[in-house]
Amino acid sequence: QVQLVESGGGLVQAGDSLRLSCAASGRTFSSYGMGWFRQAPGKEREFVAGINMSGDLTDYADSVKGRFTISRDNAKNAVYLQMNSLKPEDTAVYYCAAGSYYLKRYIYWGQGTQVTVSS
């Protein structure tokens, strides 16, 4: 089992950058693909970015390509989401998840961290 705790959210202005972190417990972190998802008020949760177990493959939603970068440090049991050129439409609760990068199925979820981008 993996427990996930996100951090790094906050209130920023459009055009600013923010880095989210997700700390994972458990000795099997490197066995999981990791993903970031987000959910805005009144909307369904959506995929943002994913990274495979070794960190050499990544995938992004079209809406964040070129602005967001996902990375992981298996030695630290952590995954990150660097968010640049933030837009008001990026406002959401961001969730970290662990599962299968290739099957796009995630089974462990964090509690989320709020990101608010003002115009």
Side-chain angles (χ1 to χ4, degrees):
Q1 187 160 344
V2 177
Q3 292 183 327
L4 305 170
V5 179
E6 303 93 337
S7 62
L11 172 62
V12 297
Q13 293 186 332
D16 285 351
S17 296
L18 207 57
R19 189 193 194 208
L20 303 183
S21 298
C22 174
S25 65
R27 294 172 291 179
T28 59
F29 174 75
S30 60
S31 299
Y32 292 96
M34 299 298 296
W36 285 98
F37 290 75
R38 67 187 181 187
Q39 186 167 19
K43 296 187 177 181
E44 293 187 354
R45 185 172 59 194
E46 63 174 356
F47 170 80
V48 174
I51 189 167
N52 71 339
M53 292 181 291
S54 59
D56 58 350
L57 291 177
T58 58
D59 188 24
Y60 297 93
D62 288 342
S63 59
V64 306
K65 278 181 182 177
R67 300 189 298 122
F68 290 12
T69 302
I70 187 172
S71 61
R72 67 188 297 164
D73 186 337
N74 286 342
K76 295 183 177 180
N77 278 14
V79 63
Y80 309 99
L81 185 68
Q82 177 67 43
M83 305 185 294
N84 298 330
S85 302
L86 283 162
K87 305 175 181 180
E89 50 264 43
D90 294 318
T91 294
V93 177
Y94 283 71
Y95 298 91
C96 173
S100 171
Y101 169 85
Y102 299 100
L103 296 178
K104 307 299 183 187
R105 291 179 61 185
Y106 294 87
I107 57 176
Y108 299 112
W109 295 84
Q111 294 301 307
T113 185
Q114 176 70 47
V115 173
T116 303
V117 185
S118 64
S119 58

